[in-house]
Amino acid sequence: AESRLGLLGLMLIARSGEALTTESSVKALEATKEAIDKNRLILAALADTESEVAVVHSAFYETAMTYRKAVGPPEAYYREAIQYVAYTSLSDLSEEDRYSLATDLSLAALTGEGVFNFGEVVAAPALQCLEGTDLHYLVELLAAGSRGDVIGFQRVADANAAAIQLQPSLVSRAAAVKEKITLLALVNMVFERPSLERTLSFEDISDRVGVPIDQVEWVIMRALSLNLIKGTMDQVDQTVDVTWVMPRVLDNKQMSELATRFGEWAVKVSKTRDYMLEHTGALLNQ
Protein backbone atom coordinates (compact mmCIF):
# COMPACT_ATOMS: atom_id res chain seq x y z
CA ALA A 1 0.00 0.00 0.00
CA GLU A 2 2.83 2.39 0.86
CA SER A 3 4.45 1.72 -2.51
CA ARG A 4 1.21 2.52 -4.34
CA LEU A 5 0.76 5.72 -2.35
CA GLY A 6 4.32 6.78 -3.09
CA LEU A 7 3.82 6.03 -6.79
CA LEU A 8 0.60 8.02 -6.80
CA GLY A 9 2.38 11.02 -5.27
CA LEU A 10 5.14 10.86 -7.91
CA MET A 11 2.60 10.59 -10.72
CA LEU A 12 0.69 13.60 -9.43
CA ILE A 13 3.90 15.66 -9.39
CA ALA A 14 4.72 14.59 -12.94
CA ARG A 15 1.25 15.35 -14.28
CA SER A 16 1.07 18.73 -12.58
CA GLY A 17 4.35 19.81 -14.15
CA GLU A 18 5.46 21.11 -10.78
CA ALA A 19 9.21 21.64 -10.39
CA LEU A 20 10.99 19.08 -8.22
CA THR A 21 12.55 21.89 -6.19
CA THR A 22 9.28 23.24 -4.75
CA GLU A 23 8.60 22.56 -1.09
CA SER A 24 5.67 20.23 -1.76
CA SER A 25 7.62 18.24 -4.36
CA VAL A 26 10.64 17.90 -2.11
CA LYS A 27 8.45 16.63 0.74
CA ALA A 28 6.74 14.13 -1.55
CA LEU A 29 10.08 12.85 -2.85
CA GLU A 30 11.51 12.55 0.68
CA ALA A 31 8.43 10.65 1.87
CA THR A 32 8.66 8.31 -1.10
CA LYS A 33 12.35 7.64 -0.48
CA GLU A 34 11.67 6.84 3.17
CA ALA A 35 8.94 4.40 2.16
CA ILE A 36 11.24 2.75 -0.41
CA ASP A 37 14.10 2.34 2.08
CA LYS A 38 11.76 0.96 4.74
CA ASN A 39 9.98 -1.52 2.48
CA ARG A 40 13.14 -2.74 0.72
CA LEU A 41 14.18 -4.54 3.92
CA ILE A 42 10.73 -6.14 4.25
CA LEU A 43 10.77 -7.16 0.59
CA ALA A 44 14.13 -8.90 0.95
CA ALA A 45 12.61 -11.27 3.51
CA LEU A 46 9.84 -12.42 1.17
CA ALA A 47 10.15 -15.41 -1.12
CA ASP A 48 9.65 -14.16 -4.66
CA THR A 49 8.38 -17.34 -6.28
CA GLU A 50 4.70 -16.97 -5.42
CA SER A 51 2.55 -14.95 -7.80
CA GLU A 52 1.05 -12.90 -4.95
CA VAL A 53 4.49 -11.92 -3.76
CA ALA A 54 5.55 -11.09 -7.33
CA VAL A 55 2.77 -8.51 -7.42
CA VAL A 56 4.24 -6.92 -4.28
CA HIS A 57 7.69 -6.87 -5.85
CA SER A 58 6.28 -5.31 -9.01
CA ALA A 59 4.53 -2.54 -7.08
CA PHE A 60 7.64 -1.81 -5.04
CA TYR A 61 10.02 -1.63 -7.99
CA GLU A 62 7.57 0.45 -10.02
CA THR A 63 7.61 3.04 -7.25
CA ALA A 64 11.38 2.83 -6.84
CA MET A 65 12.11 3.22 -10.56
CA THR A 66 9.63 6.10 -10.88
CA TYR A 67 11.37 7.83 -7.99
CA ARG A 68 14.78 7.29 -9.59
CA LYS A 69 13.49 8.54 -12.93
CA ALA A 70 12.60 11.78 -11.16
CA VAL A 71 15.81 12.26 -9.16
CA GLY A 72 18.39 10.01 -10.88
CA PRO A 73 21.06 8.89 -11.34
CA PRO A 74 20.50 6.68 -14.42
CA GLU A 75 22.37 3.69 -12.95
CA ALA A 76 20.03 3.72 -9.92
CA TYR A 77 17.01 3.89 -12.23
CA TYR A 78 18.42 0.98 -14.23
CA ARG A 79 18.77 -1.24 -11.16
CA GLU A 80 15.16 -0.65 -10.12
CA ALA A 81 13.73 -0.86 -13.65
CA ILE A 82 15.42 -4.16 -14.53
CA GLN A 83 13.90 -5.64 -11.38
CA TYR A 84 10.49 -4.19 -12.24
CA VAL A 85 10.65 -5.85 -15.66
CA ALA A 86 11.51 -9.19 -14.03
CA TYR A 87 8.41 -9.14 -11.82
CA THR A 88 5.91 -7.52 -14.18
CA SER A 89 3.85 -8.92 -17.03
CA LEU A 90 4.28 -6.49 -19.91
CA SER A 91 0.82 -7.41 -21.18
CA ASP A 92 -0.56 -5.56 -18.15
CA LEU A 93 1.01 -2.30 -19.34
CA SER A 94 -0.39 0.06 -21.95
CA GLU A 95 1.46 0.44 -25.23
CA GLU A 96 2.53 3.93 -24.17
CA ASP A 97 3.91 2.66 -20.85
CA ARG A 98 5.82 -0.18 -22.54
CA TYR A 99 7.34 2.27 -25.01
CA SER A 100 8.34 4.68 -22.25
CA LEU A 101 9.83 1.87 -20.13
CA ALA A 102 11.84 0.48 -23.05
CA THR A 103 13.19 3.92 -23.91
CA ASP A 104 14.14 4.83 -20.35
CA LEU A 105 15.69 1.41 -19.68
CA SER A 106 17.80 1.62 -22.85
CA LEU A 107 19.05 5.12 -22.08
CA ALA A 108 19.82 4.20 -18.47
CA ALA A 109 21.83 1.16 -19.56
CA LEU A 110 23.84 3.19 -22.09
CA THR A 111 24.56 6.14 -19.81
CA GLY A 112 24.44 4.64 -16.32
CA GLU A 113 27.77 4.52 -14.49
CA GLY A 114 28.88 0.95 -13.83
CA VAL A 115 26.22 -0.64 -16.06
CA PHE A 116 28.09 -3.02 -18.36
CA ASN A 117 25.76 -6.00 -18.65
CA PHE A 118 24.09 -4.86 -21.87
CA GLY A 119 23.11 -8.43 -22.68
CA GLU A 120 20.68 -8.33 -19.76
CA VAL A 121 18.86 -5.41 -21.38
CA VAL A 122 18.97 -6.71 -24.95
CA ALA A 123 17.38 -9.96 -23.77
CA ALA A 124 14.57 -8.13 -21.97
CA PRO A 125 11.19 -8.54 -23.77
CA ALA A 126 10.43 -4.91 -22.91
CA LEU A 127 12.70 -3.70 -25.71
CA GLN A 128 10.71 -5.46 -28.42
CA CYS A 129 8.22 -2.59 -28.56
CA LEU A 130 10.97 -0.33 -29.98
CA GLU A 131 11.22 -2.43 -33.15
CA GLY A 132 10.11 -0.45 -36.17
CA THR A 133 10.12 2.85 -34.26
CA ASP A 134 12.36 5.91 -34.48
CA LEU A 135 14.12 4.74 -31.31
CA HIS A 136 15.08 1.27 -32.49
CA TYR A 137 18.63 2.55 -32.85
CA LEU A 138 18.85 2.34 -29.03
CA VAL A 139 18.47 -1.43 -29.24
CA GLU A 140 21.08 -1.55 -32.01
CA LEU A 141 23.51 0.48 -29.88
CA LEU A 142 22.99 -1.86 -26.93
CA ALA A 143 23.45 -4.95 -29.10
CA ALA A 144 26.68 -3.61 -30.59
CA GLY A 145 27.92 -2.65 -27.12
CA SER A 146 27.07 -6.09 -25.75
CA ARG A 147 29.24 -7.66 -28.48
CA GLY A 148 32.04 -5.16 -27.87
CA ASP A 149 31.70 -4.10 -31.50
CA VAL A 150 33.27 -0.62 -31.50
CA ILE A 151 32.98 -0.16 -35.27
CA GLY A 152 29.38 -1.38 -35.34
CA PHE A 153 28.44 0.91 -32.45
CA GLN A 154 29.95 3.91 -34.19
CA ARG A 155 28.22 3.00 -37.44
CA VAL A 156 24.82 2.99 -35.71
CA ALA A 157 25.66 6.24 -33.88
CA ASP A 158 26.69 7.98 -37.11
CA ALA A 159 23.58 6.80 -38.96
CA ASN A 160 21.35 8.17 -36.18
CA ALA A 161 23.34 11.27 -35.22
CA ALA A 162 20.37 13.63 -35.56
CA ALA A 163 18.12 11.44 -33.40
CA ILE A 164 20.83 11.06 -30.76
CA GLN A 165 21.09 14.83 -30.47
CA LEU A 166 17.46 14.81 -29.30
CA GLN A 167 18.41 12.67 -26.28
CA PRO A 168 20.01 14.97 -23.64
CA SER A 169 21.36 12.06 -21.58
CA LEU A 170 23.26 10.60 -24.54
CA VAL A 171 24.65 14.02 -25.47
CA SER A 172 25.74 14.99 -21.95
CA ARG A 173 27.32 11.59 -21.26
CA ALA A 174 28.78 10.97 -24.70
CA ALA A 175 32.35 10.62 -23.37
CA ALA A 176 31.26 8.15 -20.68
CA VAL A 177 29.33 6.08 -23.23
CA LYS A 178 32.37 5.95 -25.52
CA GLU A 179 34.57 4.80 -22.62
CA LYS A 180 32.03 2.12 -21.74
CA ILE A 181 32.00 0.70 -25.28
CA THR A 182 35.80 0.68 -25.32
CA LEU A 183 35.90 -1.29 -22.07
CA LEU A 184 33.25 -3.71 -23.31
CA ALA A 185 35.37 -4.31 -26.41
CA LEU A 186 38.25 -5.37 -24.14
CA VAL A 187 35.94 -7.60 -22.06
CA ASN A 188 34.66 -9.33 -25.20
CA MET A 189 38.16 -9.70 -26.57
CA VAL A 190 39.13 -11.62 -23.43
CA PHE A 191 35.97 -13.72 -23.51
CA GLU A 192 36.55 -14.71 -27.13
CA ARG A 193 39.96 -16.14 -26.29
CA PRO A 194 40.42 -19.71 -24.95
CA SER A 195 41.20 -19.71 -21.23
CA LEU A 196 44.81 -20.75 -21.86
CA GLU A 197 45.38 -17.99 -24.42
CA ARG A 198 44.52 -14.89 -22.44
CA THR A 199 47.85 -13.12 -22.53
CA LEU A 200 47.04 -10.15 -24.73
CA SER A 201 49.49 -7.80 -26.36
CA PHE A 202 48.95 -4.05 -26.29
CA GLU A 203 49.06 -4.05 -30.09
CA ASP A 204 46.22 -6.58 -30.38
CA ILE A 205 44.17 -4.68 -27.80
CA SER A 206 44.73 -1.43 -29.68
CA ASP A 207 43.39 -2.99 -32.88
CA ARG A 208 40.39 -4.55 -31.15
CA VAL A 209 39.17 -1.66 -29.00
CA GLY A 210 40.04 1.12 -31.43
CA VAL A 211 42.42 3.27 -29.37
CA PRO A 212 46.03 4.34 -30.03
CA ILE A 213 48.58 1.99 -28.52
CA ASP A 214 49.75 4.64 -26.06
CA GLN A 215 46.25 4.65 -24.51
CA VAL A 216 45.98 0.87 -24.10
CA GLU A 217 47.61 0.88 -20.67
CA TRP A 218 44.96 3.31 -19.41
CA VAL A 219 42.17 1.11 -20.84
CA ILE A 220 43.58 -1.94 -19.06
CA MET A 221 44.00 -0.09 -15.77
CA ARG A 222 40.45 1.24 -16.02
CA ALA A 223 39.05 -2.24 -16.67
CA LEU A 224 41.03 -3.62 -13.71
CA SER A 225 39.86 -0.84 -11.39
CA LEU A 226 36.21 -1.49 -12.31
CA ASN A 227 36.64 -5.25 -11.78
CA LEU A 228 35.66 -5.98 -15.36
CA ILE A 229 38.75 -8.17 -15.60
CA LYS A 230 41.40 -9.48 -13.22
CA GLY A 231 45.01 -10.12 -14.07
CA THR A 232 48.49 -8.63 -14.25
CA MET A 233 49.98 -6.14 -16.69
CA ASP A 234 53.58 -6.19 -17.92
CA GLN A 235 54.41 -2.67 -19.02
CA VAL A 236 57.84 -3.67 -20.31
CA ASP A 237 56.64 -6.46 -22.61
CA GLN A 238 53.39 -4.55 -23.19
CA THR A 239 51.11 -7.45 -22.40
CA VAL A 240 48.32 -8.23 -19.93
CA ASP A 241 47.66 -11.69 -18.54
CA VAL A 242 43.91 -11.96 -17.79
CA THR A 243 42.82 -14.55 -15.23
CA TRP A 244 39.13 -13.61 -14.90
CA VAL A 245 36.48 -11.73 -16.87
CA MET A 246 33.17 -10.44 -15.56
CA PRO A 247 30.16 -12.75 -15.95
CA ARG A 248 27.31 -11.41 -18.03
CA VAL A 249 24.24 -12.36 -20.08
CA LEU A 250 25.20 -13.73 -23.52
CA ASP A 251 23.29 -13.52 -26.78
CA ASN A 252 22.59 -16.55 -28.98
CA LYS A 253 25.78 -16.13 -31.01
CA GLN A 254 27.94 -15.87 -27.90
CA MET A 255 26.20 -18.90 -26.39
CA SER A 256 26.92 -20.86 -29.57
CA GLU A 257 30.59 -19.88 -29.45
CA LEU A 258 30.74 -20.90 -25.79
CA ALA A 259 29.15 -24.27 -26.59
CA THR A 260 31.76 -24.84 -29.31
CA ARG A 261 34.51 -24.04 -26.84
CA PHE A 262 33.07 -26.48 -24.29
CA GLY A 263 32.97 -29.13 -27.00
CA GLU A 264 36.64 -28.58 -27.83
CA TRP A 265 37.51 -28.76 -24.15
CA ALA A 266 35.58 -32.02 -23.76
CA VAL A 267 37.52 -33.55 -26.67
CA LYS A 268 40.84 -32.57 -25.07
CA VAL A 269 39.77 -34.05 -21.73
CA SER A 270 38.71 -37.27 -23.44
CA LYS A 271 42.03 -37.58 -25.28
CA THR A 272 43.95 -36.94 -22.06
CA ARG A 273 41.93 -39.60 -20.26
CA ASP A 274 42.54 -42.15 -23.05
CA TYR A 275 46.25 -41.40 -22.99
CA MET A 276 46.44 -41.84 -19.23
CA LEU A 277 44.55 -45.15 -19.36
CA GLU A 278 46.80 -46.42 -22.13
CA HIS A 279 50.08 -45.47 -20.46
CA THR A 280 49.29 -45.83 -16.76
CA GLY A 281 50.74 -49.32 -16.57
CA ALA A 282 53.94 -48.36 -18.35
CA LEU A 283 54.39 -45.31 -16.16
CA LEU A 284 53.92 -47.33 -12.94
CA ASN A 285 56.44 -49.98 -14.04
CA GLN A 286 59.21 -47.44 -14.65
Side-chain angles (χ1 to χ4, degrees):
E2 273 189 298
S3 291
R4 287 299 183 187
L5 287 173
L7 178 61
L8 178 60
L10 293 173
M11 292 174 64
L12 288 174
I13 293 174
R15 289 176 180 175
S16 69
E18 185 176 350
L20 297 180
T21 54
T22 64
E23 183 177 355
S24 59
S25 294
V26 170
K27 287 182 178 180
L29 290 171
E30 289 178 348
T32 302
K33 186 177 186 304
E34 289 177 6
I36 290 172
D37 293 341
K38 173 185 174 183
N39 289 307
R40 194 183 297 275
L41 297 175
I42 300 173
L43 199 70
L46 297 176
D48 59 8
T49 54
E50 300 179 9
S51 59
E52 295 84 356
V53 177
V55 172
V56 177
H57 280 75
S58 176
F60 172 82
Y61 286 116
E62 182 179 14
T63 302
M65 77 169 187
T66 304
Y67 170 78
R68 284 302 175 184
K69 181 176 179 178
V71 303
E75 57 271 18
Y77 170 85
Y78 172 82
R79 288 192 293 270
E80 308 293 4
I82 203 71
Q83 290 294 324
Y84 172 68
V85 169
Y87 288 106
T88 306
S89 173
L90 296 177
S91 60
D92 294 338
L93 304 180
S94 68
E95 183 177 350
E96 181 182 355
D97 287 343
R98 288 198 299 270
Y99 183 81
S100 177
L101 175 61
T103 303
D104 294 338
L105 187 58
S106 299
L107 291 172
L110 286 166
T111 63
E113 184 176 348
V115 181
F116 290 95
N117 197 352
F118 283 8
E120 183 179 38
V121 193
V122 174
L127 265 64
Q128 293 179 1
C129 68
L130 294 182
E131 292 184 8
T133 71
D134 293 341
L135 292 177
H136 187 254
Y137 72 88
L138 292 175
V139 181
E140 295 176 342
L141 289 174
L142 287 167
S146 180
R147 297 190 305 269
D149 184 357
V150 175
I151 295 176
F153 186 92
Q154 191 59 53
R155 185 184 301 117
V156 175
D158 290 343
N160 297 275
I164 289 175
Q165 289 299 313
L166 299 177
Q167 299 294 337
S169 60
L170 288 179
V171 175
S172 63
R173 296 201 173 202
V177 174
K178 182 178 180 180
E179 176 189 304
K180 185 181 293 191
I181 302 307
T182 300
L183 293 170
L184 283 171
L186 175 59
V187 167
N188 277 271
M189 180 183 182
V190 175
F191 175 79
E192 292 162 4
R193 296 288 187 96
S195 59
L196 297 178
E197 299 177 15
R198 289 185 171 175
T199 298
L200 313 177
S201 71
F202 282 21
E203 184 176 358
D204 286 346
I205 294 174
S206 174
D207 291 339
R208 179 67 169 79
V209 307
V211 300
I213 196 167
D214 61 352
Q215 294 181 20
V216 168
E217 183 178 334
W218 179 88
V219 173
I220 295 170
M221 292 178 64
R222 183 66 172 152
L224 290 169
S225 69
L226 292 171
N227 288 321
L228 300 179
I229 61 172
K230 294 180 181 179
T232 54
M233 181 170 55
D234 187 328
Q235 294 163 302
V236 177
D237 290 340
Q238 292 199 318
T239 60
V240 59
D241 183 23
V242 181
T243 57
W244 178 90
V245 62
M246 74 163 191
R248 65 201 192 284
V249 175
L250 306 178
D251 60 24
N252 290 336
K253 181 181 178 181
Q254 291 170 324
M255 287 292 290
S256 177
E257 292 171 350
L258 186 61
T260 300
R261 207 174 306 162
F262 272 126
E264 294 172 349
W265 173 79
V267 171
K268 290 180 181 179
V269 171
S270 179
K271 288 182 178 179
T272 302
R273 181 198 62 185
D274 293 344
Y275 177 86
M276 293 299 294
L277 290 174
E278 182 179 349
H279 294 83
T280 296
L283 292 172
L284 291 176
N285 291 329
Q286 288 182 356

